[in-house]
Amino acid sequence: MASTVETEHHAPAPAEPVRDGIWRRPLKNTGLVGFLTTVDHKKIGIGYALGALFFLLLGGVEALIIRAQLMYPEQELISARTYNQLFTMHGTTMIFLAVMPLSAAFFNYIMPLQIGARDVAFPRMNALGLWCFLLGGVLLNLSWFFPGGAPAIGWFAYAPLTDRQYSPDMGTDFWIMGLQILGIASLVGAFNFITTIVNMRAPGLSMMRLPLFTWMTLITSFLIILAFPAITIALVELMFDRHFGTYFFNVEGGGKPILWQHLFWIFGHPEVYILILPAMGIISEILPVFSRKPLFGYPLIVFSGAVIGFLGFAVWSHHMFTTGLGVVATTAFAFLTMLIAIPTGVKIFNWIGTMWGGRIRFTTPMLFSVGFIWMFMMGGFTGIMHSSPPVDAQQQDTYFVVAHFHYVLIGGSIFALFAGMYYWFPKVTGRLMDDFVGKIVFYLMFVGFNLAFFPMHILGMTGMPRRTHTYKSEMGWDQSNFWSTIGAFILGVGILIFVIQIVYAYYKGRKSPKDPWDSRTLEWDTDSPPKEYNFAYTPVIHARDQVWEDKYGVEAKRMEKIAPGKHGIHMPDQSWWPLITSIGLFIACLGMVFHKQPIPLTAEAVFGLEIVIFGLVATFVGMVAWALEGPGGFHLHPDPAEYADATPAPEDGHGHH
Amino acid sequence: MSSHAANTDDPHAALEPLKKTSTGIENKKLAMWAFLASDCMFFGTLISTHLIYRKVYPTVVEPTEFFDIELTGFSSFILLMSSLLMALSVSAAHKGNIAGMRRFLLGTIFFGLIFLSGQVYEFNHFVKDAGLTLSSSVFGSTFYVLTGTHGVHVALGVLWLSCWTACSLPKDWAWYTLRGGRFLWLPIRVIFAPMVGRYKHENALDVEVAGLYWHFVDIVWIVIFTAVYLVEYLPILGF
Amino acid sequence: MRLRIRTPFLAAAGLAAGLLLLTVGCSLNIEGQQSALDPKGPVAKNQYDIFMLTLYVTTFIFITVGGALAWVLWKFRQRKGDDPNFIPPQSHGHPMLEMGLVIASAGLLVIIAIPTFGGIILKKVVPEELLDGAIEVNVVGFQWWWAFEYPEQGFYTANELVFPAGRAVKINLRADDVIHSFWLPKLAGKVDLIPGQENFIWIMADEPGYFWGQCAEFCGDSHAYMLFRAIALPEDEWEEWLETQQRDTVADDGSFEPLLAREDWGYPEDKILKGAEVFRQACAGCHSVNPRIQTNGPNLAHFGSRTSVAAGWYENEYDLLYRWIREPEKVKPGNFMYRGFLDRDGRTVIMPGLKDYDLSDEEVHAVTAYLYTLR
Amino acid sequence: MATTRDMADTQQKSDVPDYIIEEHKKYFTFFNLSIALIAITGIELVIIYVPINKWFVFSSLVVLSTVKFLGVIWWFMHLRWDRALCTIVFLIGLILATGTVTALMLLFSRDPDGPPEIMTLLPPFLW
């Protein structure tokens, strides 16, 4: 019997896509259906980017309302509750819906190109990640429209404020379940990226030849798979506390609220590196290109990235120096935290070393990158300051900390992500963004950012606590707050111009050649924008900065190209099931939010777990259908002109998939 | 290197194209190991929650009064045996012995179900006789959520392996050979009927990956068995 | 016609100068009510010193590393007329230099680490020489006010911490509902008040003084309004204060009539007596006026001698106090004085609030005046 | 494992591929392993009732469970035969999880108001 099965399997691959599974597989790869069923890492990357930019603007508007409220003392622009909701949603949105997905957009779009892969290892899982991210964002923001409104618990959601007794409304449940879906999105993405980077590198592309951005993608993915379980479990425990009467964090039953802080920061601290390491990767790509020099001390930068990631799991309690930890624990966590300054410093030294002796061109991506180094350095210094618990005792939960992490996350992550967007925009769209407008955006953002956040150092040291919706004039904080608000609006104008510019450039920008910056890494060797199959040939890598070597290096280090075999290039099929599975999860999570809650429009009906079960069944059906459908696949035959200089494929080989 | 890959008489060779990755490890297997690394943190967090509360409140409940260590020991035995069958099943799958693989898979599922029944019985006993519920004490909260999460893992594993068992049935498998009430079999048929006859030798990898998951659930139980059950019998310990 | 920024450095320098000026302008204000840069006690002083040390160290790094960065950007920039195809030497790294910088930065961290350890211990442990004469206070955080208990004397007060200058105050911190954080920036860095756990902090004021403090951990709707005041008194005034605080302020016959001599009431007698009646009906359920009893609202014995109301948000003036009682929901959204206490499910009311009493303007005036007779 | 070798030696038919022989060898490994695992479980069940030093019993439990754990991942889960990278990936998670559990256990004390036990070894001013 086995042999019968075998011969069936080895039937020649059909030229047409396989129409298998419960539903017919979608074939149309344009329009709405094409987008909803796509498994192409590039389209998924663009989906992530658009979603993330939308949420960046949303979170930005929330921030501007916050700053407007704080512009003058004792203002009553918004209520205390609204303010608390705004800062909760601002933090959650920026971390989970803006910076992480924007990084994920680069992981998706750029990383497979950098390693010469046709797609990621599990294309449909990749689509699932995108849909979970978008639906998670929707779920979180749906809370605004239900009684009680958005959560007002802070992005850290310290128990027991999240207990039903203190936050009876559904907002907290929206927050819990929204984060669970977003966690799934991050996790499936991370498993996918790890497998892709480790397993799907082009021939010759050894780990120590990987572009730095790909390395940071790998380390970030490991951080995600190891950090997110902690928050997942903490959220499950909190959900049980709120819905099923357990006592994990409830003092009356013997629960310890401090446990929530530990579990949260076991996740939360690596999360900080999840936000910053991709940015460091982007910077490490851009600096060499515009200095026309290779990265200085590549092995050490890779190694320090790994060390930062590893140490990130050993320092979580430095967020809790004021919670009454013992002297030994405090000291240990303080010294471990200080250690992190060393690998971080290494990176800065090496970035300067990269530019040293180079030929620096100040294009927009380069300006953002240099701005990143300055701002990140500032954020690092304040980080060193509150790694010392006595200093932190004054700074914890004040605007000093707000200044610190905005220097790291805006001056750091956002600046780097903007650098990345300016840098890779020509690759993604085939069009250039205007350099002059780009510089205006940079200077507006740079000035606005510093004006908004530098005074916060002083506010913090002069005693202004975070998360307060107003303050008294006697405190002497009026002036700094005023200027800070002005700065925030300048920063907002900068970002607005950026959005206009990116839309304009998409339609009207100048056409870009495939390598407009004279770059160094593999993604610049394919078309702009890349074809569906990324590379018409299989690249065989012989050097770290392969594209640079091709242009300026010695003959021995030139890239070899292998033409596709006679079957053409194998491509995965599109699928509805990732979308359906994620909708099932969405329904299940929504059902958990509605559990035993009076829902508008259903005045009398109160749901138990019916909706959750329905959603889980839908998820299960989606997964089974997904598995039965199989990866499918079809073959494309690129125009031979695209691989004119390639050597023919060996007859029996499948080529590099 | 893969000149014999085209030799279709050799079922082992059918797996060769899957191994054409940079590391020689199949994508699915690597992703599963990464998932298991991640799952270590899941259960690590749950187990720490339980142990922390046991340590902080060592005398609030006396679990040994209602624990039935013989039953739990038997459950451990069952899971270990199921792991053996799973390993044999993967081995059979790699040899291309589909019938053998299916037999061992059925055995694994059977043992998994026994384990689950044991857990249901145990929970029932704790709730009814010992009055231990989710909200009776923080011990109840941590105990049920920890062992319950493990139980859900086992149940998902049973479901997963059932799918592969159904897939491994021959295409001409006659459902009427299964005796039983129509209503019992109907949902099972609806779910599993589309899978019948789909197993191909290249799916040996999928069975192996499902097996990795199953073994992991087993080793989590090894830890839970010691950390949650056995140490309770050492009264002087507060860890 | 396109404008081109040819001299990014000039622009950057101008920017830097402008920001610097603005920064200097803003930082002139370091002596605010809650400034940690203006320490008045040994703990805050120690923390300030370590902060300044980290500031010096990081400024040193900023000047050296930042200087190197600025120099590199200036020196190696592509100038007008440079050959655009110039390829600089492709150097890949310099391991010895990199290791040297790693070791140097580790050395700088050691400079910070040593006093850090001393600071950690100082915050936790009252130095031996200060133990003599130290007093003890228990602080309990509530949404959104503070209860202060003087266990050695056995009385309670609220929202104003009074202690003798020049003596250490050992403070035990507990919370009743959610997490709060006790912070008196001029005297010591913060320590959290966490339900189900007791924390410790000690403070000392070198000189008599009046200090502002604030809750520093987000604790719900009115977190921003959870302030308090701390008053360090000279020794003789402290003794006097202690004695006053332990006196009863109202008659113990249940009439809530003030014990203060009638000629000192300062308001018409019938107004005060009416106020006492309103207080008995609407307020006494939560507010104790007996200094030895703590109920679930702030203790109001000797309220008349306090300097602030509404947990330090308002100065203790008639109009502000009137407003606080008249429309508490507007002054502090979500407060329990207005909406009452809820059960664990967050829905059932177990103790009514002012919204259920519907006091008239006249009654509020009466109770406001009455409160000033509690001295 | 004489049996295994005997079987391999007596394989006369040249058309039996190597991987079949490999899988046959694994059968014996798996059986032996499962017997060992059950034996260890039995020992664990008995040892908790033996009236000897409880810390010794506790340490034995930890060691025995670790042996079981490693046995399953090493043989049942094929790490023995797979590439080292699988082991490395899993160990990253396992080590971090173990470290986190340990650190958490040290951070929480049995007495809610007291120091963690490990700190009782240190001078009191450090608590």
Side-chain angles (χ1 to χ4, degrees), chain B residues 10-12 23 29 33 37 40 44 52 55-56 58 69 77 80-81 84 91 212 215 219 226 236-237, chain D residues 19 23 30 34 38 41 49 54 58 65 72-73 76-77 79 82-83 89-90 97 101 105 108-110 117:
Chain B
D10 179 359
H12 203 54
T23 54
K29 194 192 269 184
W33 277 111
C40 285
I52 282 168
K55 177 174 156 174
V56 176
I69 198 68
F77 166 75
L80 289 172
M81 282 299 92
L84 170 65
S91 191
L212 288 181
H215 294 306
I219 56 176
T226 309
I236 62 155
L237 292 178
Chain D
Y19 71 90
E23 293 295 342
F30 290 158
S34 62
I38 289 161
T41 309
Y49 293 112
K54 296 294 178 187
F58 178 71
S65 306
V72 173
I73 59 169
F76 278 166
M77 292 170 90
L79 282 182
D82 261 327
R83 296 191 192 238
V89 168
F90 183 66
V101 174
M105 294 306 293
F108 279 83
S109 57
R110 194 187 323 175
E117 288 74 34

Side-chain angles (χ1 to χ4, degrees), chain A residues 459-534:
Chain A
L459 280 176
M461 288 315 293
T462 52
M464 182 165 173
R466 294 167 78 175
R467 301 166 187 140
T468 48
H469 72 278
T470 191
Y471 53 92
K472 291 182 85 71
S473 189
E474 291 97 308
M475 297 296 195
W477 303 328
D478 303 7
Q479 224 178 6
S480 298
N481 270 309
F482 176 80
W483 285 109
S484 174
T485 303
I486 300 289
F489 277 89
I490 296 175
L491 178 62
V493 169
I495 292 177
L496 192 67
I497 296 178
F498 169 77
V499 171
I500 296 169
Q501 188 195 3
I502 208 166
V503 173
Y504 178 85
Y506 178 73
Y507 292 105
K508 295 281 167 82
R510 274 189 302 131
K511 289 265 190 259
S512 162
K514 72 176 186 181
D515 180 15
W517 308 115
D518 197 12
S519 299
R520 314 179 71 92
T521 41
L522 197 53
E523 74 271 27
W524 301 100
D525 196 55
T526 185
D527 293 340
S528 302
K531 295 269 186 354
E532 200 178 345
Y533 42 77
N534 292 354

Side-chain angles (χ1 to χ4, degrees), chain A residues 287 339 445 447 534 602:
Chain A
L287 290 177
L339 274 187
M445 284 180 68
V447 172
N534 292 354
T602 60

